[in-house]
Amino acid sequence: MSNDDSLDDLLEELDSQRDLETAQQALSIRMESRRYGKPVTIVDGFDLPQSEIESVASDLKSAMGTGGTVDDGRIELQGDHRTRVPPLLRERGFDVRD
């Protein structure tokens, strides 16, 4: 039984370290015009594994109701979402630069 408690403690500690790593990342958000003047919101500055960036991208795409992709460690969302994305990222523990 004591092994379960120590395992739970270890998992909790690892999770708190993960939250700390997330808070230490300073993300930047900008908008670029692409083909035919279409706006694309770029979220850059992640220091996470590709799978976690894809998970964040999926959450953002669902929240925005838009398409997007992960390319070279950054999230690209279709449309201009510079005002809507920062609060969502802050809720997930990221530091967003203005």
Side-chain angles (χ1 to χ4, degrees):
M1 293 276 174
S2 63
N3 285 342
D4 289 339
D5 291 335
S6 64
L7 180 61
D8 289 341
D9 292 341
L10 179 62
L11 291 174
E12 190 173 307
E13 182 181 333
L14 289 173
D15 191 40
S16 67
Q17 287 177 353
R18 167 74 176 80
D19 291 342
L20 187 60
E21 290 172 5
T22 300
Q24 292 173 345
Q25 296 182 46
L27 304 179
S28 65
I29 300 171
R30 67 182 189 281
M31 198 264 311
E32 292 181 0
S33 291
R34 295 284 171 93
R35 189 179 220 178
Y36 307 114
K38 299 282 185 178
V40 175
T41 303
I42 310 287
V43 183
D44 205 1
F46 290 100
D47 187 22
L48 296 172
Q50 182 78 7
S51 62
E52 291 186 41
I53 297 172
E54 289 173 358
S55 175
V56 172
S58 178
D59 292 345
L60 289 176
K61 290 188 299 184
S62 294
M64 299 291 129
T66 190
T69 188
V70 175
D71 187 30
D72 292 332
R74 64 185 190 181
I75 298 173
E76 299 179 2
L77 299 171
Q78 296 173 353
D80 184 359
H81 302 287
R82 289 176 290 177
T83 58
R84 296 177 60 199
V85 170
L88 295 172
L89 290 172
R90 286 185 182 114
E91 284 177 11
R92 288 165 177 75
F94 291 100
D95 179 27
V96 180
R97 287 183 265 169
D98 293 326

